Amino acid sequence: MTSGFLVQNTNCVFRANFHTGQGKWDMNGILPMRPNKVLHSYQRANFNLLSGFGFKSKKDTFKYTGTQRPGVLSPKRTVPDSIVKPDYWKDGKPKARPPMMPWSIPTNSKEDIDGIRVASRMAREILDMAGKSLRVGMATDEIDKLVHEETVKRGAYPSPLNYQGYPKSVCTSINEVICHGIPSTTTLLLDGDVVNIDVTVFYNGYHGDCSEMFCVGEVDAAGKHLIKTTYKAWQAAIAICKPGVPYSEIGGVIEDIVAKEGFTTSKDFSGHGVGKIFHNNPYILHYKNRDNNGVMAPGHVFTIEPMINEGKNGHVMWRDNWTATTTDGKRSAQ
């Protein structure tokens, strides 16, 4: 489960998210962390997928950990010229970047907050439509088509499209896929699958971001328990959000809850600020930490999006440089 917040003098007021990473900053930009390596979208190579082709081939020797495989991609979808687009829409490279220091967090004005609310509500509406459309045997490309068309219909741009070269308008992460699953024409939803759908839209200069877990057909008790535990941890994290609380406290709340159930929390991906910039400060770690990522204050808008695994907390990155799966093939939820 994921959520985004506007920190006011009282508490948090709306949901939003997009999956991204966390990193340490130096004068040259963002660097990977060790031993707890955390990936950020800016670190990814701009890996271009040819329309109509996936990565699966007769000679594919990649060691996949579960049942999911790369699929065949439909042609890249287009956005009308009349729609306002983010700065990366053409070349895939974001021009606006977060502040250098992770504890330096932008304070949004009332006008900014109003704009983020509109975009976030729009994203939530589209996510609900996508969730209601799910059925056994459905290709994930159908989800992408729906999200893309409904976003454009509302005069918005689907934020994931061409962000760092990402080829689609939504992320669909099934079973062992932790995040950033790429929709395809040959990836089908099967009875018993769990899937995360991640929708972000860019409207009138602001990104609104949200995702949710869905059960396809009849999901077993263990899968439902994973989702419910993830939701419980997410809600507990929301409950501590208020001005003056260090962002580092969120991770401990989440890890304490999921560890009691025998689950692990991914240390490789994080929540983030959202608004005029797709991924901004603060970065939200979902495990116990003492990192100085700032303190909550009025005007901050951010996401909480714990990625909780049935098994180990590491990940395997596919050759597409986007799809991250569990190392043991067990399921993940957020």
Side-chain angles (χ1 to χ4, degrees):
M1 297 297 171
T2 55
S3 181
F5 301 103
L6 157 66
V7 179
Q8 296 181 316
N9 288 323
T10 52
N11 213 313
C12 311
V13 296
F14 77 89
R15 302 179 59 190
N17 99 295
F18 185 85
H19 307 314
T20 182
Q22 158 73 20
K24 292 291 188 183
W25 290 92
D26 71 355
M27 293 306 293
N28 296 314
I30 197 160
L31 298 176
M33 293 171 57
R34 286 294 185 183
N36 295 328
K37 183 182 73 171
V38 184
L39 300 182
H40 190 280
S41 301
Y42 300 141
Q43 294 171 269
R44 297 193 180 93
N46 195 352
F47 202 104
N48 294 318
L49 305 183
L50 296 177
S51 295
F53 294 89
F55 290 95
K56 187 175 181 181
S57 68
K58 294 180 180 179
K59 296 182 180 180
D60 188 355
T61 58
F62 188 84
K63 294 182 179 180
Y64 300 101
T65 63
T67 60
Q68 298 302 301
R69 296 293 184 273
V72 177
L73 304 189
S74 61
K76 182 179 178 180
R77 294 188 163 89
T78 60
V79 178
D81 293 339
S82 59
I83 290 179
V84 176
K85 302 174 179 65
D87 60 12
Y88 55 81
W89 78 273
K90 193 171 185 179
D91 62 6
K93 300 176 182 178
K95 313 304 182 295
R97 297 296 182 95
M100 182 67 71
M101 300 303 169
W103 54 82
S104 179
I105 301 168
T107 299
N108 294 281
S109 67
K110 182 181 183 304
E111 180 183 359
D112 294 332
I113 291 168
D114 289 343
I116 297 169
R117 286 182 189 274
V118 171
S120 299
R121 288 167 179 159
M122 187 179 294
R124 181 71 239 187
E125 180 181 351
I126 295 168
L127 174 59
D128 288 343
M129 295 178 69
K132 290 177 181 178
S133 76
L134 299 184
R135 66 184 187 282
V136 174
M138 181 182 194
T140 52
D141 187 69
E142 295 180 57
I143 303 172
D144 184 73
K145 182 175 184 291
L146 183 152
V147 169
H148 184 92
E149 291 179 350
E150 291 298 331
T151 301
V152 169
K153 184 187 298 183
R154 290 163 174 76
Y157 181 93
S159 300
L161 185 62
N162 205 35
Y163 179 79
Q164 296 286 3
Y166 186 80
K168 291 298 173 182
S169 297
V170 68
C171 296
T172 52
S173 302
I174 304 172
N175 296 339
E176 77 271 16
V177 179
I178 300 171
C179 59
H180 305 145
I182 301 175
S184 82
T185 61
T186 53
T187 301
L188 306 181
L189 297 178
L190 304 180
D191 186 42
D193 283 347
V194 296
V195 57
N196 179 268
I197 301 177
D198 192 342
V199 176
T200 309
V201 306
F202 182 75
Y203 182 74
N204 198 27
Y206 297 95
H207 296 277
D209 192 344
C210 58
S211 83
E212 189 163 333
M213 292 297 299
F214 296 93
C215 295
V216 182
E218 294 298 322
V219 172
D220 62 22
K224 291 178 180 178
H225 182 55
L226 172 66
I227 293 173
K228 289 178 180 178
T229 301
T230 304
Y231 182 84
K232 179 181 178 181
W234 172 62
Q235 288 289 301
I238 291 173
I240 72 164
C241 292
K242 61 182 179 181
V245 175
Y247 284 105
S248 60
E249 291 191 11
I250 291 174
V253 171
I254 292 170
E255 187 167 10
D256 281 345
I257 290 173
V258 303
K260 289 179 181 178
E261 302 299 327
F263 301 137
T264 62
T265 176
S266 175
K267 296 184 177 182
D268 299 334
F269 303 94
S270 78
H272 57 91
V274 65
K276 290 181 178 179
I277 299 177
F278 198 167
H279 300 115
N280 207 340
N281 292 351
Y283 287 99
I284 312 299
L285 305 183
H286 305 118
Y287 57 91
K288 290 181 180 180
N289 71 93
R290 295 182 178 179
D291 288 24
N292 183 7
N293 286 324
V295 175
M296 299 179 199
H300 290 184
V301 181
F302 59 99
T303 76
I304 298 176
E305 41 189 296
M307 281 152 260
I308 308 304
N309 301 339
E310 283 183 314
K312 299 177 181 179
N313 66 10
H315 82 279
V316 171
M317 183 65 71
W318 284 5
R319 288 171 176 157
D320 59 19
N321 259 356
W322 282 105
T323 309
T325 70
T326 58
T327 59
D328 49 19
K330 294 184 178 181
R331 291 171 292 193
S332 183
Q334 65 173 287

